Amino acid sequence: MIKNKITKKADQGKREILEGSRAVALMIKNIKPNVISAYPITPQTHIVEDLAKMKANGEADYEYLRAESEFAAASIVLGASAAGARVYSATSSQGLLLMAEVVHNIAGMRLPVVMTCANRAISAPISIWNDHSDVMNIKDSGFIQFFASDSQEAVNQHLLAYKIAEKQGLPVMVNMDGFILTHSYEPVIIPTRAKVKKFLPDYKPAKGTYLDPKNPKTFGAFFPPAYYMETRENLHQDLIKSLELIKKEYAFMIKTLGFNNKDNGLVEYLGPKNPKIILVALGSLNGTILETITSDKKLKTSVGLLKIKTYRPFPAQEIIKVIKAKTHVAVLEKAISLGQAGPLYNDVVEALSGQKNRSALIKNYIVGLGGRDISSEIIKKIIIDSPKKNASLKFYG
Amino acid sequence: MNNLEQIRIHGRGGQGVVTAAELIAIAAFYDGLEAQAFPNFGVERTGAPIQAYARISKKKITTREQIYEPTVLIIQDSSLLDSGNILAGISDKTKIIINAKENRWDKLKNKKNLYFSPATEIALEMIGKNIVNTVILGAFAKYTKLVSLASLKKAIETKFKDKGEEIVAKNIKAIEKAFLK
């Protein structure tokens, strides 16, 4: 057998081949939450089943609360977090929609809840397959949103999520594509408990910030017009501020884990220095785009990829740094704001709206809805179409 | 071995099609290669046609697209040859492994690189059930040489650990038989 060309540093830890869901469950186990609550829904199921098994086998000491619905699961982690516990939940699709009311409350109460969204399409018609329609319903809730391209990114983003959540007092959702990542086997390194501890100290909320009979406190109280607006402005400002914190903590995490990632945790640009076209995308689609570009000699020198790893807060400044006024932009996304355009497209257009002398196009390609496969062939067609002056929004696939 | 080996497996719900793809990826990883496996679920129902995919390479695999041009095609349930287009995307170089004693299909007459493995027969004899997914991997290892028999056995030990020693032993014996045949 010919040996693997990818060499790993000794201190990175053991590389294993695991299902994406299993990898995330093992990471959560090493993060040691106090309370987990979830309601099973495809394709999130394997994650929470694994965590329930770990508890049943005596390998973990968190409280695992089975809920009667996603609304209850989200409410349980809200309550536990308000009482000062480190918490975890996961869901998908209709489950997230049922959680929506609580999701907004969690963010409004500034609770450091961490959740996984195993992204799936929403009804009707019913689809169990992947797209990003679910999370786009709550993108404006005040949750920080990470998107993973592969299992390793999903694992790392969960660790980063707890650090950011607990430091900034904001909830974080890690998005990983249903089936495409949750049900895929691929090599991954699970950071050991010792490394996790080095990066993420045990959670000790400050006195007076959680429910405590000795220090009575109200969460989510009634705010009349004289006060409500400031709470929203503060939440917004803190989200914007967290961009710098994410960069800082991401760099620290990569160093602690012994990895050699070159990106800043917000975005990652891969491609030539002066590309004619840049493709922008969220999640696992980035892997297929990268393979399409790098396996073609012509595309390799003319097309770049901008991965959005942190979607909320939106890293507009990082995007302006990468995309020049003469570069065509194609935003590929697995969601649409029906009757308008793709949400990521709107964000990119807004980010580039102040760009002087923008002469090149920004176009929007809706792909992969309801699990439609996004092939290299489709991506190549999009690359050919993107510099052409025609409709700015198209459905491909 | 090609730069990128793309293995597409066809079978029916309940036959362990997804597990077979996962075992290939695990075994290849144990052999020191990069590997990926993922399912393509249709309607989750016993008996429904299902595909699963595995990729093997010396370089990191990033693509997530389904496999349209397989370098290896595994047909776990030969009745699928009678309907549908499970041969889509194959070339003269594609190695085709079929759970059957011999060729009885006109559409395969002019095909090259055919390999017939009596997996059902071996499964009934060695495992006592018509579960062919592991058995046919013995034929896969022998014919394609993409994974070693030792790594395949180790993959079964890892994957079936929770099913008990007896199941592991039976599956390994069945794989050995298919490999030697």
Side-chain angles (χ1 to χ4, degrees):
Chain A
M1 268 297 160
I2 304 150
K3 281 289 166 209
N4 185 349
K5 273 187 186 167
I6 293 177
T7 52
K8 63 177 178 78
K9 283 187 195 165
D11 63 348
Q12 281 188 346
K14 192 183 151 209
R15 216 161 167 257
E16 306 168 76
I17 186 159
L18 297 170
E19 190 196 49
S21 295
R22 174 90 186 147
V24 168
L26 288 169
M27 180 75 260
I28 296 300
K29 181 186 161 213
N30 284 352
I31 287 168
K32 282 188 168 279
N34 305 110
V35 176
I36 296 175
S37 186
Y39 186 83
I41 181 168
T42 300
Q44 148 267 34
T45 330
H46 289 185
I47 303 173
V48 296
E49 279 176 354
D50 272 358
L51 287 165
K53 257 185 234 162
M54 288 169 192
K55 169 71 180 171
N57 293 342
E59 298 161 22
D61 56 9
Y62 40 74
E63 288 294 324
Y64 189 101
L65 287 123
R66 289 193 295 172
E68 77 270 22
S69 72
E70 283 89 354
F71 184 87
S75 300
I76 289 165
V77 294
L78 180 154
S81 181
R86 179 179 279 171
V87 301
Y88 176 75
S89 189
T91 193
S92 298
S93 182
Q94 307 305 115
L96 184 63
L97 298 190
L98 192 54
M99 279 186 181
E101 182 184 333
V102 191
V103 161
H104 282 79
N105 269 318
I106 289 169
M109 293 182 197
R110 313 294 297 263
L111 297 171
V113 169
V114 174
M115 281 182 48
T116 309
C117 184
N119 302 104
R120 164 182 155 181
I122 53 174
S123 304
I126 295 175
S127 166
I128 61 163
W129 293 275
N130 165 250
D131 70 30
H132 294 158
S133 305
D134 51 8
V135 65
M136 290 306 166
N137 272 275
I138 55 101
K139 71 176 169 35
D140 307 323
S141 64
F143 263 69
I144 289 172
Q145 299 288 347
F146 292 150
F147 276 82
S149 298
D150 56 29
S151 286
Q152 192 67 59
E153 276 186 20
V155 163
N156 294 359
Q157 285 178 349
H158 279 88
L159 181 55
L160 183 64
Y162 278 92
K163 186 71 175 278
I164 302 298
E166 290 166 9
K167 265 204 152 176
Q168 188 78 54
L170 285 170
V172 185
M173 190 168 288
V174 180
N175 292 278
M176 63 189 295
D177 286 312
F179 292 116
I180 298 170
L181 292 186
T182 56
H183 288 55
S184 275
Y185 267 70
E186 64 183 21
V188 62
I189 297 166
I190 310 297
T192 59
R193 174 68 194 141
K195 273 189 183 163
V196 169
K197 238 186 142 177
K198 232 173 158 183
F199 173 69
L200 180 74
D202 289 342
Y203 179 48
K204 288 192 189 91
K207 205 177 160 185
T209 63
Y210 58 94
L211 294 174
D212 177 5
K214 287 175 196 158
N215 297 288
K217 187 176 158 57
T218 303
F219 278 78
F222 184 77
F223 269 37
Y227 303 104
Y228 180 88
M229 194 156 155
E230 281 71 17
T231 66
R232 306 314 283 178
E233 191 180 349
N234 288 345
L235 181 52
H236 173 71
Q237 295 301 349
D238 279 359
L239 271 161
I240 300 295
K241 261 192 244 165
S242 73
L243 285 164
E244 283 308 309
L245 184 68
I246 292 167
K247 272 204 230 175
K248 192 183 137 210
E249 292 296 343
Y250 181 79
F252 177 38
M253 177 183 74
I254 292 302
K255 205 179 146 201
T256 310
L257 299 182
F259 290 172
N260 45 16
N261 301 44
K262 301 278 185 283
D263 67 297
N264 61 13
L266 301 174
V267 302
E268 183 174 14
Y269 175 74
L270 299 161
K273 243 188 170 175
N274 293 304
K276 286 187 185 122
I277 302 161
I278 289 181
L279 272 50
V280 185
L282 295 163
S284 66
L285 167 57
N286 284 304
T288 312
I289 295 175
L290 186 64
E291 174 70 29
T292 306
I293 295 171
T294 53
S295 63
D296 186 302
K297 275 182 196 164
K298 228 176 142 190
L299 298 181
K300 216 174 169 178
T301 56
S302 60
V303 182
L305 165 66
L306 182 63
K307 284 164 63 173
I308 308 294
K309 295 174 77 175
T310 302
Y311 177 58
R312 283 292 181 275
F314 195 66
Q317 292 307 314
E318 305 296 327
I319 288 166
I320 297 167
K321 274 186 219 163
V322 174
I323 301 177
K324 303 282 175 269
K326 283 182 183 169
T327 311
H328 295 296
V329 181
V331 180
L332 283 66
E333 59 187 316
K334 298 178 182 179
I336 180 158
S337 171
L338 294 165
Q340 213 270 343
L344 177 61
Y345 171 78
N346 285 325
D347 294 323
V348 171
V349 167
E350 195 280 330
L352 298 177
S353 63
Q355 201 166 39
K356 281 178 197 165
N357 314 320
R358 165 149 280 279
S359 53
L361 303 169
I362 311 173
K363 291 173 72 173
N364 193 193
Y365 299 90
I366 308 298
V367 292
L369 297 185
R372 180 73 54 89
D373 192 39
I374 305 165
S375 62
S376 269
E377 203 184 313
I378 291 172
I379 292 165
K380 281 179 184 164
K381 277 184 189 165
I382 289 172
I383 291 170
I384 291 168
D385 186 74
S386 56
K388 290 182 185 165
K389 278 190 184 168
N390 51 28
S392 65
L393 173 77
K394 287 180 180 176
F395 287 73
Y396 264 62
Chain B
M1 153 172 192
N2 296 310
N3 282 336
L4 180 65
E5 291 289 347
Q6 305 203 92
I7 300 123
R8 191 171 77 204
I9 310 176
H10 292 269
R12 293 185 184 276
Q15 291 179 335
V17 180
V18 179
T19 304
E22 290 166 358
L23 287 167
I24 289 172
I26 296 169
F29 178 74
Y30 289 161
D31 282 330
L33 295 161
E34 291 295 308
Q36 173 200 63
F38 61 104
N40 175 12
F41 284 116
V43 183
E44 291 173 281
R45 193 172 54 200
T46 301
I50 279 182
Q51 296 179 32
Y53 313 108
R55 287 192 172 95
I56 304 174
S57 176
K58 287 167 205 158
K59 291 192 298 184
K60 188 178 174 183
I61 300 160
T62 67
T63 186
R64 306 281 166 188
E65 74 171 328
Q66 292 169 7
I67 291 175
Y68 297 99
E69 291 172 350
T71 57
V72 181
L73 188 73
I74 299 176
I75 303 168
Q76 279 188 195
D77 190 315
S78 63
S79 71
L80 290 167
L81 274 165
D82 301 326
S83 60
N85 190 17
I86 65 170
L87 300 177
I90 62 165
S91 73
D92 283 350
K93 286 180 182 164
T94 305
K95 291 173 177 155
I96 307 172
I97 301 165
I98 304 159
N99 173 18
K101 281 186 188 169
E102 60 197 10
N103 188 19
R104 52 184 174 86
W105 295 272
D106 286 343
K107 62 169 94 171
L108 294 177
K109 257 185 189 161
N110 300 318
K111 293 278 181 282
K112 292 170 185 169
N113 310 316
L114 292 177
Y115 190 91
F116 294 91
S117 171
T120 298
E121 207 178 277
I122 297 171
L124 288 173
E125 184 196 334
M126 311 292 290
I127 306 173
K129 276 184 192 165
N130 183 16
I131 296 181
V132 298
N133 63 338
T134 51
V135 180
I136 209 160
L137 293 184
F140 168 79
K142 180 184 182 180
Y143 183 48
T144 66
K145 297 184 176 64
L146 288 175
V147 296
S148 66
L149 186 61
S151 290
L152 198 53
K153 287 189 208 169
K154 199 177 144 197
I156 284 176
E157 281 166 12
T158 312
K159 180 89 186 151
F160 292 174
K161 198 171 55 192
D162 295 343
K163 292 184 193 283
E165 280 174 25
E166 198 192 333
I167 300 276
V168 170
K170 275 183 178 175
N171 276 283
I172 285 178
K173 271 192 181 167
I175 274 192
E176 280 171 342
K177 181 148 189 182
F179 187 85
L180 294 171
K181 203 135 191 159

